[in-house]
Amino acid sequence: MSHPFRPAAALLTVALATVPAGQAVAQETAVAVDVSAGGSYSTNPFLISGDSDGKGAFATELSVTPQVMYRDERSDAALIARYRRSDYIDRYNSAEGYGFTAQAQRALNPLLSANATVSFDSSIVGQSGLGVVGVVDPSLTPVPGIGLPVPGIGVPGVGVPGVSVPDLSLIGLNQRQNTLAASLGATLRVGPHDTLNGSVNANRVSYGSNSNIALLSSRGTGATIGYSRALSERTSVGIQGSGSWTEYDRNGFHGSSYSPQGTLSHRLGAQLNLDLAAGVVFISSTTTRGRSNVTGFSGSLSGCHTGNRSAQCLRAYSDAQATALGDISRRYGGSFDYSYRLRENDVLRASIGYSRLVATSDNTLQIPQVSYLNADAAYERSFTRRFFGGASVGYRQATGGGLGNPSDLIFRLFVRTRLGDRR
C-alpha cells in the first residue's frame, strides 16, 4: 500500500513548480503574519451533551497565520499556515488546531490553465475558537466538502481544497480529526464561448491512535468534469459531473457517490454574482452487514451582493459526505453572511448557518440524523492601520438522537495585527 502522504507531496511539487523563476515580467510577492489574541467565555466549548450546565469556562486564545503569496502575469501561488490554541482556565484541557494550504495556478497558454492544491488540517470537531472577522469577501466562495479557496486562485466550477469541513457525526465526542487533501485541475477554452474544466482529488482522513474504537479512518478519491457556454458577457450555462469513492480502513466498509448537474452563472454588473447548480446524487454505502443505495437532489447556490459599504452572501448546498462511522451520508446546509463598514476599517459582521447530516444506512453506529446551528455577530475597530480590536458573541447548538441538544453561548474579546505586508 502506498503511503497516503506521497500523492500529496507529488502534487505539492507540481503546485510549486508552476511558479516561474526569474521571468522578465511584473512580479509581486507578499509575506505577512496575522496574529490574533484574546479571551473568551464559553458555556460548552466542546458541545458535549450534559455540559450545558451554566458553569462554562474562561479561556485565553491565540491564532497565528503566516502566509506567502506570489503573483506574476501568468501565475498565482500561495502558502498559508494556520495555528490556533485555546487554554482553558479550568474544567477543560487546552485545545489546538493547525494546518496549511499550498495553492498554485498558472496560465500555460492563452487557452489552457492548470491549478494544484495541497492542504492539511488537524482540529477537534465541535471546539470553538477565534473565528472569521472583517468584511465579507464574495470572491471566497466555499465549495461544500472542500472549503475556502485563496483569493485569486479559486477556479469556478472546480473548487480547491482548503479548510476541511467538519464531520457532524463527531460533535460531542471531543475528537480530533486529521485531514490531508490534494487536487489537480485544469481549465481549457475550446472556443470563443465554450470552456471545459476538470479536476481530480484525493484525501486521507484519520483520527489517531487514541481515538474512539468505533471511528474509521478512510482514503478518498474524486473527479469532476464540466462544460460551460457563455450566452452573454454576464450569463453562462453548463453541465458537470462528479464522482467520489471512499475506502475505509476496516474491511468491508466502502462507498461512493455520483452527481450530474446543470449549472448557471450570472453577473449583474460588478455588485451581484449568482451561481447555481442542480441535479441528482446517487449514493452507495456498503458495510459488513449489507449495502444501501439512495438517490436524491443535489445542488448548490451562491449569491453575493457587494455595495459601497456593505456585503451580503447567501449560500446553500445539498450533497453527500463520508463520515467517521462508515456511512456515506446525505448532507444539507445553508448560510447567510453580512458585513457593514462603519468607517474605513471599522466593521460590523454577522452570520448564521445551518447544516444537517442524514445517514443513508442503518448498518452503522451513526445517529440517523444530526443537525448543527450556529450564529455570531462581531464588531472590529481599527486603532492603527496594523492594529485592530473587537468583540463578538455567538451561539451554537447541535441536535440528534442520542446526542441530546448541547448548546454553547460564547463571548469573546480580541485584538489582531498584521506583521509584514499589509495587502
Side-chain angles (χ1 to χ4, degrees):
M1 181 184 299
S2 62
H3 195 282
F5 283 79
R6 287 176 183 166
L11 281 180
L12 179 57
T13 301
V14 173
L16 297 180
T18 60
V19 180
Q23 284 194 19
V25 296
Q27 297 179 351
E28 183 179 348
T29 301
V31 180
V33 179
D34 289 328
V35 180
S36 301
S40 68
Y41 173 79
S42 176
T43 59
N44 187 357
F46 294 92
L47 276 181
I48 298 174
S49 181
D51 259 18
S52 304
D53 53 10
K55 294 181 180 180
F58 290 92
T60 59
E61 298 182 321
L62 175 67
S63 174
V64 182
T65 307
Q67 49 200 286
V68 180
M69 297 188 185
Y70 174 91
R71 173 174 294 176
D72 63 25
E73 292 182 355
R74 300 177 63 186
S75 305
D76 287 291
L79 175 60
I80 301 175
R82 303 175 295 274
Y83 178 79
R84 188 188 74 189
R85 182 181 178 92
S86 299
D87 289 285
Y88 297 93
I89 296 176
D90 57 8
R91 301 192 67 190
Y92 301 98
N93 295 325
S94 61
E96 60 182 6
Y98 46 87
F100 72 89
T101 300
Q103 296 181 305
Q105 177 174 290
R106 178 169 172 79
L108 302 177
N109 58 52
L111 301 179
L112 178 63
S113 64
N115 61 86
T117 303
V118 176
S119 67
F120 174 77
D121 180 78
S122 177
S123 58
I124 297 174
V125 177
Q127 189 260 336
S128 63
L130 286 169
V132 177
V133 295
V135 175
V136 175
D137 187 348
S139 69
L140 296 181
T141 302
V143 179
I146 297 177
L148 290 173
V150 169
I153 298 182
V155 181
V158 178
V160 289
V163 181
S164 63
V165 175
D167 183 348
L168 294 185
S169 69
L170 297 177
I171 286 182
L173 298 181
N174 195 7
Q175 176 63 56
R176 178 172 295 277
Q177 176 177 280
N178 305 307
T179 304
L180 175 66
S183 77
L184 184 63
T187 300
L188 175 66
R189 291 179 60 91
V190 293
H193 305 291
D194 304 289
T195 303
L196 291 174
N197 58 61
S199 67
V200 293
N201 62 79
N203 65 74
R204 169 67 174 170
V205 181
S206 60
Y207 304 96
S209 58
N210 297 324
S211 63
N212 188 307
I213 193 173
L215 302 183
L216 304 179
S217 298
S218 64
R219 301 177 305 281
T221 55
T224 299
I225 188 169
Y227 163 79
S228 65
R229 180 174 179 82
L231 303 181
S232 67
E233 292 183 357
R234 296 180 176 181
T235 304
S236 62
V237 297
I239 56 174
Q240 65 183 18
S242 62
S244 64
W245 301 266
T246 302
E247 290 286 340
Y248 291 95
D249 286 1
R250 186 172 300 173
N251 289 335
F253 285 77
H254 56 88
S256 61
S257 66
Y258 306 91
S259 180
Q261 293 180 326
T263 63
L264 168 67
S265 180
H266 182 67
R267 304 289 180 264
L268 188 58
Q271 293 188 321
L272 180 62
N273 301 330
L274 180 64
D275 294 287
L276 295 171
V280 64
V281 61
F282 304 94
I283 300 173
S284 176
S285 189
T286 301
T287 73
T288 54
R289 299 175 58 187
R291 177 178 177 178
S292 63
N293 295 291
V294 173
T295 302
F297 171 78
S298 73
S300 63
L301 176 151
S302 176
C304 291
H305 175 266
T306 306
N308 292 330
R309 302 180 69 177
S310 66
Q312 308 89 38
C313 284
L314 176 66
R315 300 175 175 113
Y317 59 87
S318 172
D319 58 10
Q321 180 184 18
T323 72
L325 295 172
D327 186 64
I328 310 298
S329 296
R330 292 283 282 126
R331 182 177 56 180
Y332 312 87
S335 66
F336 177 74
D337 213 351
Y338 173 85
S339 70
Y340 183 80
R341 188 183 295 277
L342 299 173
R343 303 173 191 170
E344 182 181 358
N345 287 305
D346 291 11
V347 176
L348 284 172
R349 180 167 181 164
S351 65
I352 184 169
Y354 175 81
S355 54
R356 181 159 53 101
L357 198 66
V358 179
T360 61
S361 171
D362 57 5
N363 296 324
T364 70
L365 297 177
Q366 184 167 316
I367 297 171
Q369 181 173 301
V370 180
S371 61
Y372 178 71
L373 171 70
N374 65 288
D376 61 79
Y379 168 73
E380 184 181 62
R381 179 180 177 83
S382 62
F383 300 106
T384 69
R385 300 183 69 181
R386 290 184 179 272
F387 188 69
F388 304 81
S392 67
V393 59
Y395 177 79
R396 309 181 298 154
Q397 183 177 38
T399 305
L403 183 66
N405 298 287
S407 61
D408 179 29
L409 186 62
I410 313 163
F411 301 92
R412 179 172 288 114
L413 297 173
F414 61 88
V415 294
R416 72 177 180 92
T417 186
R418 165 160 285 199
L419 310 174
D421 199 302
R422 289 189 294 104
R423 287 169 293 181

